[in-house]
Amino acid sequence: MRPHRLRSTLITALMLATATVSATTSATAAHTSTAPASATAASSLGALTELFAERLLLADKVAAAKYGTESPIDDPARERQILDDVAARAAGLGLDPHSVTTVFRDQIEANKLVQRGLYARWDAHPDERPTERPDLAKEVRPALDLITTRLLTALQEAAPVRADASCEPRLYAAATGSAYEHRLDVLHLRGLGRALPSVCSTD
């Protein structure tokens, strides 16, 4: 199947998932008198999924920097550092540190999913291997750190809709838009799906 047809198929799948989630939550949402305005909710969740997509695309540079070196995809010390940092910053923003670190843990796992997929692709197709090695410390991590700051702000702004019964259908709709906007391929669509589960904090 051609790449653009695969992308179209998976975006359709995301849209179907949105419809399914919407059907299961519509009754609850109908009784939620404090539901955020649709435009505001869509905007705040869209800001999150845009940043998720941007972070996933940076996974390509992370993989290119590490591939063929002794640097592993899994880096528990670096991951712990990131999670401890966002927990402290979340508390300063009045956010629940546990909820925020869960979201960021999903971003880390989504990023590693893409890296592993790229490694497998490059192992199978040497002609597709990157020809340049980005500087992980000077180029890639500063870009990731900037996205971390923007994500914390976006999570703060999205706090009302994250706790609302309408969060999941709106989140998947926003993710579908971000996937289309960034022309994500199959691998990055899988990564985006992995990045979403902990965004909505409804019971």
Side-chain angles (χ1 to χ4, degrees):
M1 185 178 292
R2 294 178 183 275
H4 73 278
R5 292 185 62 190
L6 281 169
R7 182 167 61 244
S8 176
T9 298
L10 289 186
I11 290 175
T12 300
L14 273 174
M15 294 176 69
L16 288 173
T18 301
T20 300
V21 174
S22 180
T24 60
T25 60
S26 58
T28 303
H31 294 287
T32 305
S33 59
T34 58
S38 295
T40 301
S43 175
S44 61
L45 291 174
L48 282 174
T49 58
E50 284 293 302
L51 290 168
F52 293 167
E54 289 179 24
R55 198 178 193 283
L56 283 170
L57 291 170
L58 277 174
D60 295 39
K61 289 191 173 183
V62 176
K66 292 182 175 182
Y67 186 75
T69 74
E70 295 182 356
S71 296
I73 290 176
D74 290 283
D75 187 348
R78 168 70 178 170
E79 293 169 21
R80 186 72 263 163
Q81 181 183 20
I82 292 170
L83 295 176
D84 287 346
D85 175 61
V86 298
R89 293 167 68 183
L93 293 171
L95 298 171
D96 174 34
H98 175 72
S99 174
V100 170
T101 55
T102 301
V103 171
F104 273 89
R105 188 176 291 109
D106 280 349
Q107 306 319 302
I108 291 169
E109 293 303 320
N111 193 285
K112 291 193 294 186
L113 184 156
V114 171
Q115 289 182 58
R116 292 188 185 102
L118 289 172
Y119 273 32
R121 182 184 301 170
W122 297 337
D123 286 344
H125 303 283
D127 58 305
E128 295 183 16
R129 292 174 183 174
T131 56
E132 297 182 359
R133 190 180 303 281
D135 190 309
L136 195 59
K138 295 181 179 179
E139 177 184 354
V140 183
R141 284 180 175 166
L144 288 170
D145 290 343
L146 178 59
I147 290 178
T148 293
T149 298
R150 293 167 63 196
L151 269 174
L152 285 165
T153 300
L155 285 167
Q156 185 181 35
E157 294 174 351
V161 70
R162 289 184 65 211
D164 190 80
S166 66
C167 178
E168 286 191 352
R170 286 172 169 165
L171 175 66
Y172 279 89
T176 301
S178 296
Y180 182 80
E181 179 68 22
H182 289 275
R183 300 179 179 273
L184 299 186
D185 62 11
V186 174
L187 176 60
H188 292 80
L189 281 169
R190 288 177 56 212
L192 184 59
R194 179 64 185 85
L196 300 178
S198 58
V199 171
C200 298
S201 55
T202 54
D203 293 331

